[in-house]
Amino acid sequence: MKRRTIVARTGLFVFAILSAGCNFQGSFSFASEDKINSAFPISEAVSITKASVLELATDAQRKEIESQYDARLKLRALGCAKGYSPSWHTSVADIKNKLDNRACFTEADDEIARWLGFRRVGLLLAKPPLKPVPAKTPSLIAADGFIQTVRFASAAGIALIETQQSIEIADFETTKLLFREVKRSKAIGYPSPNGRLFTVGESDQLKIRDAESGSVIAEIPYVRAYEFHWLDEQTALYTSSESGKAFLIDFLSGNDIPLELIKRGVQRAVSVPDTRNQYVLFSHGTVTKIELNRSKVVPEVRLLAEKQASGIAWSSQSDVTADGTRFFGASRGLVFVDLTSLEIETIPFEPFVLQNGIATPKPDEIILTGFIQPPDGKGSPDFLYSISGNTVRPIEREKNSSRRYTYIRSIQKLAVINNNQISVVDKLAALEAVPLEKFASDVLMASNQRKLEAFERQQRLTATAVSSTATAPSPDARQDAATPYPDNPIARLARNAQIEAVGVYQGETGAMRAEAGRRTGNVLVHVRRSAKPLVLVLSSYEPVRWSLVMEPGAKLSAVLVSGYYQSQVVGAGSARVVMAGSRYAYKAGSQEHRALNQETFKWTGKDIDLFQGRYEGKSFSVGG
């Protein structure tokens, strides 16, 4: 009888131990945090992610990751318990009843998954290139449709290609596809230096994905594709669209670190030549040089220099010369930044409007694209610009060619993008060099001639309107008065599109000065999901910085920008942006509105379907 009592008591004791909880190395524990985590187990997604990380790690790395993981589990339990500490005999059911805030555990799981994702990214970044930089230059890469964007890994033979239909990862030595998927509503970012990862933006979230499988490795909320920048094989930098603050990700520790010294979001990040840990960050109105100190567990960021760059916008079309010494971009004029000294030089090109700058294998030579204002619908040639000689050479191009250029830095070659093909070229056919002063003089004469012709056309239209009856002209009469521009690609894009217009006299007052000392206003335009493609007409009297926010499913084909003073558009993605003249309107039914509609008809062959206007605009929504 006594023996049975002892056995029974022993059984109850063992049961109590089992109920008390077990720690995550498989041994029994009476620690309150282990009991809490037993009551609220980690999510299956976190467990799967952890297994993927450990599979990539070395033995030493596994030990360190396991230790960090256990520490985070402990913080998860203590943080969500908010002071509650169960005793050793408290049951799992009692703990669940006591702690009913399951959302806290879900959020903690998300944080652990984010940390594990960053660690996994770090392990993949440390691997050799997915495909080596080819010793032999490929002759041609063909995609499945019209190529909108192509970006190359800086230290691997990998190309990230965006077409109208899909996103593709290609080995650009063999030209074989490694990965392809239907694009849907994604905005592509950049491949990692070793080509094993690439980024895409989906809605307001950035996803870091595996280049071979497409699987999502890590996610960062409130970050757009163009707000994330790879720095090297250990770190990256991003800007939160929610807070506007910049953060550094250290993939070795899996932590992101606020960059308090950066007051505005980073638009571009470029390494300083002949250094290991120095970078130049380009923000709105500021150029900042930093140094990363990796001697400690968490990298420290040190400010080396800072320079104001008021009125300069650093677009994604900016580039670095082939020798890595100068950053350049098109912002009203051609802007150069010496990456060592941060000296800024601006070379005026007005009235020629620069749109894009592309590096070439020659450090002294870059390609410039743009057009003469006002446009004549026929387009303008591209140019080779000599930095030291301050000369331009028009590049010869085939008739009706859609060719664009890109510099492949890993092989130091120039490539031409034409429809669905990428071909490497050794030399561009260009005409005789012309001094920039003569080029600017010729452009000014052509611009003035176009303005005169436009004025004469308007006078004829006004005279026709005065002599006509008060009733609206028939569609046929409208087409006679406003003949579409010949050979106009916008009309093709507009054929099945909805035409919407937004007009303001001025945007919400901004601090950035534009031409003639005028201040550039800011207007936000949300482009909603729509069944039909959208052609957007933006017009203003004062200069405006039109910021477009593309919602998932938005189908923006083209943007026509018109105004008395020159404006700029950001966030248009792959949509075609055209400077469409000097018309502006902010009142429906006004004479200015009718003139803007006629100019829109010339570009699109269609009337404006929907017009929104205000004297001072701040925010609009289009599409839907």
Side-chain angles (χ1 to χ4, degrees):
M1 184 70 178
K2 193 172 184 179
R3 179 180 175 82
R4 288 180 183 176
T5 303
I6 293 172
V7 170
R9 288 177 179 175
T10 303
L12 289 172
F13 181 70
V14 171
F15 177 77
I17 291 177
L18 291 172
S19 301
C22 171
N23 71 11
F24 292 86
Q25 275 71 46
S27 59
F28 294 110
S29 170
F30 295 106
S32 61
E33 59 268 17
D34 290 340
K35 292 178 64 64
I36 292 169
N37 283 324
S38 295
F40 296 90
I42 203 78
S43 71
E44 183 180 3
V46 171
S47 298
I48 293 172
T49 303
K50 179 190 174 188
S52 300
V53 173
L54 295 179
E55 186 178 356
L56 292 169
T58 64
D59 290 341
Q61 288 170 334
R62 288 192 193 98
K63 185 176 180 181
E64 184 265 333
I65 291 170
E66 288 279 16
S67 175
Q68 289 286 323
Y69 180 78
D70 288 343
R72 288 173 182 269
L73 282 183
K74 182 175 181 178
L75 290 175
R76 171 185 186 263
L78 296 177
C80 293
K82 299 187 182 302
Y84 168 68
S85 180
S87 63
W88 68 270
H89 57 77
T90 306
S91 68
V92 166
D94 289 341
I95 295 173
K96 286 183 176 180
N97 290 331
K98 182 69 176 180
L99 302 176
D100 57 357
N101 185 9
R102 296 180 182 272
C104 177
F105 291 95
T106 300
E107 291 174 6
D109 286 359
D110 290 342
E111 283 298 314
I112 294 173
R114 173 188 171 96
W115 168 74
L116 286 169
F118 285 168
R119 292 302 304 262
R120 189 177 174 192
V121 169
L123 293 171
L124 288 170
L125 287 175
K127 285 181 169 291
L130 178 59
K131 297 293 179 180
V133 175
K136 181 182 178 182
T137 302
S139 57
L140 186 73
I141 298 176
D144 67 356
F146 181 85
I147 295 174
Q148 295 176 323
T149 310
V150 59
R151 286 162 179 159
F152 295 88
S154 60
I158 293 296
L160 171 59
I161 303 170
E162 176 188 22
T163 73
Q164 291 176 324
Q165 296 86 14
S166 64
I167 295 174
E168 302 177 355
I169 301 288
D171 174 353
F172 75 87
E173 179 176 34
T174 64
T175 72
K176 290 181 179 179
L177 284 182
L178 304 178
F179 171 76
R180 174 192 280 163
E181 72 174 8
V182 176
K183 185 167 64 174
R184 297 188 181 92
S185 58
K186 299 180 179 71
I188 71 165
Y190 292 85
S192 64
N194 66 356
R196 291 185 175 273
L197 301 160
F198 69 100
T199 59
V200 296
E202 297 184 28
S203 186
D204 62 347
Q205 190 171 60
L206 183 107
K207 297 187 177 183
I208 304 176
R209 302 175 61 181
D210 183 89
E212 291 183 288
S213 66
S215 60
V216 177
I217 306 298
E219 300 180 14
I220 313 175
Y222 306 112
V223 178
R224 302 184 183 96
Y226 61 85
E227 294 173 325
F228 179 94
H229 313 277
W230 299 105
L231 295 185
D232 54 25
E233 69 281 358
Q234 299 177 5
T235 51
L237 185 148
Y238 71 88
T239 299
S240 169
S241 57
E242 181 184 41
S243 65
K245 295 181 179 179
F247 295 83
L248 180 79
I249 305 177
D250 173 35
F251 292 114
L252 293 183
S253 66
N255 297 314
D256 41 10
I257 306 154
L259 291 181
E260 302 296 346
L261 55 89
I262 305 297
K263 303 304 179 186
R264 294 195 177 186
V266 177
Q267 295 168 303
R268 294 296 303 274
V270 182
S271 60
V272 177
D274 302 322
T275 66
R276 171 62 179 163
N277 295 328
Q278 292 184 9
Y279 303 90
V280 176
L281 311 181
F282 296 86
S283 304
H284 184 70
T286 309
V287 181
T288 307
K289 187 176 182 180
I290 64 169
E291 183 176 63
L292 301 185
N293 178 7
R294 293 196 177 94
S295 62
K296 299 184 178 180
V297 176
V298 178
E300 292 182 345
V301 180
R302 186 164 68 96
L303 176 65
L304 298 180
E306 188 172 75
K307 194 157 228 180
Q308 296 302 308
S310 180
I312 300 176
W314 311 106
S315 73
S316 60
Q317 306 303 328
S318 306
D319 208 344
V320 181
T321 53
D323 59 1
T325 61
R326 282 177 285 196
F327 182 83
F328 62 90
S331 180
R332 292 176 55 201
L334 178 61
V335 180
F336 286 99
V337 179
D338 186 295
L339 293 174
T340 301
S341 67
L342 297 194
E343 288 298 317
I344 300 174
E345 180 185 10
T346 301
I347 301 172
F349 270 73
E350 293 90 347
F352 187 81
V353 179
L354 292 176
Q355 288 180 301
N356 200 358
I358 304 104
T360 73
K362 298 180 180 179
D364 186 59
E365 202 167 61
I366 61 177
I367 296 174
L368 298 176
T369 66
F371 57 90
I372 299 174
Q373 180 79 299
D376 63 357
K378 299 178 182 180
S380 298
D382 304 324
F383 299 91
L384 281 171
Y385 173 73
S386 169
I387 301 172
S388 61
N390 200 28
T391 60
V392 294
R393 299 166 60 202
I395 300 171
E396 295 180 351
R397 62 190 308 172
E398 301 172 4
K399 188 177 181 181
N400 299 325
S401 171
S402 64
R403 60 191 291 167
R404 292 159 290 147
Y405 310 96
T406 186
Y407 179 59
I408 308 177
R409 200 164 296 275
S410 60
I411 60 173
Q412 300 180 329
K413 293 282 187 179
L414 190 68
V416 173
I417 308 168
N418 196 354
N419 293 318
N420 72 321
Q421 297 181 341
I422 306 168
S423 53
V424 175
V425 296
D426 292 321
K427 187 177 181 181
L428 293 175
L431 303 179
E432 186 178 350
V434 176
L436 182 58
E437 289 184 3
K438 184 180 186 309
F439 168 79
S441 176
D442 292 343
V443 168
L444 181 60
M445 291 179 61
S447 177
N448 289 336
Q449 180 63 31
R450 292 181 186 182
K451 289 179 180 178
L452 178 60
E453 291 171 356
F455 175 77
E456 291 174 346
R457 284 198 305 270
Q458 183 60 34
Q459 290 293 95
R460 290 195 297 270
L461 290 173
T462 303
T464 301
V466 170
S467 62
S468 64
T469 61
T471 57
S474 67
D476 291 339
R478 168 87 62 76
Q479 292 181 33
D480 290 338
T483 305
Y485 292 125
D487 301 323
N488 177 14
I490 301 300
R492 293 193 294 272
L493 294 173
R495 190 170 299 152
N496 300 314
Q498 172 92 353
I499 313 297
E500 294 196 30
V502 173
V504 299
Y505 181 87
Q506 63 186 27
E508 186 179 37
T509 305
M512 187 172 66
R513 290 194 177 276
E515 58 179 297
R518 312 189 77 84
R519 293 188 180 277
T520 298
N522 298 293
V523 178
L524 185 67
V525 181
H526 293 271
V527 184
R528 300 188 296 250
R529 173 193 293 270
S530 59
K532 295 174 65 176
L534 180 68
V535 172
L536 184 59
V537 182
L538 304 174
S539 76
S540 63
Y541 176 83
E542 298 286 358
V544 165
R545 186 177 191 265
W546 299 94
S547 297
L548 308 186
V549 177
M550 310 288 287
E551 297 183 359
K555 300 177 181 178
L556 185 61
S557 296
V559 181
L560 304 181
V561 186
S562 181
Y564 190 83
Y565 289 97
Q566 183 179 325
S567 296
Q568 58 178 292
V569 177
V570 296
S574 60
R576 186 127 180 203
V577 179
V578 173
M579 300 299 170
S582 57
R583 299 292 178 192
Y584 72 94
Y586 59 93
K587 287 185 179 179
S590 64
Q591 182 177 346
E592 291 82 5
H593 176 247
R594 289 191 291 272
L596 179 65
N597 189 51
Q598 284 190 332
E599 189 66 23
T600 301
F601 185 88
K602 292 178 185 179
W603 281 98
T604 65
K606 300 171 72 173
D607 292 329
I608 295 172
D609 295 308
L610 180 65
F611 176 83
Q612 302 177 67
R614 297 183 199 133
Y615 179 84
E616 179 173 290
K618 179 180 179 181
S619 178
F620 296 86
S621 292
V622 298

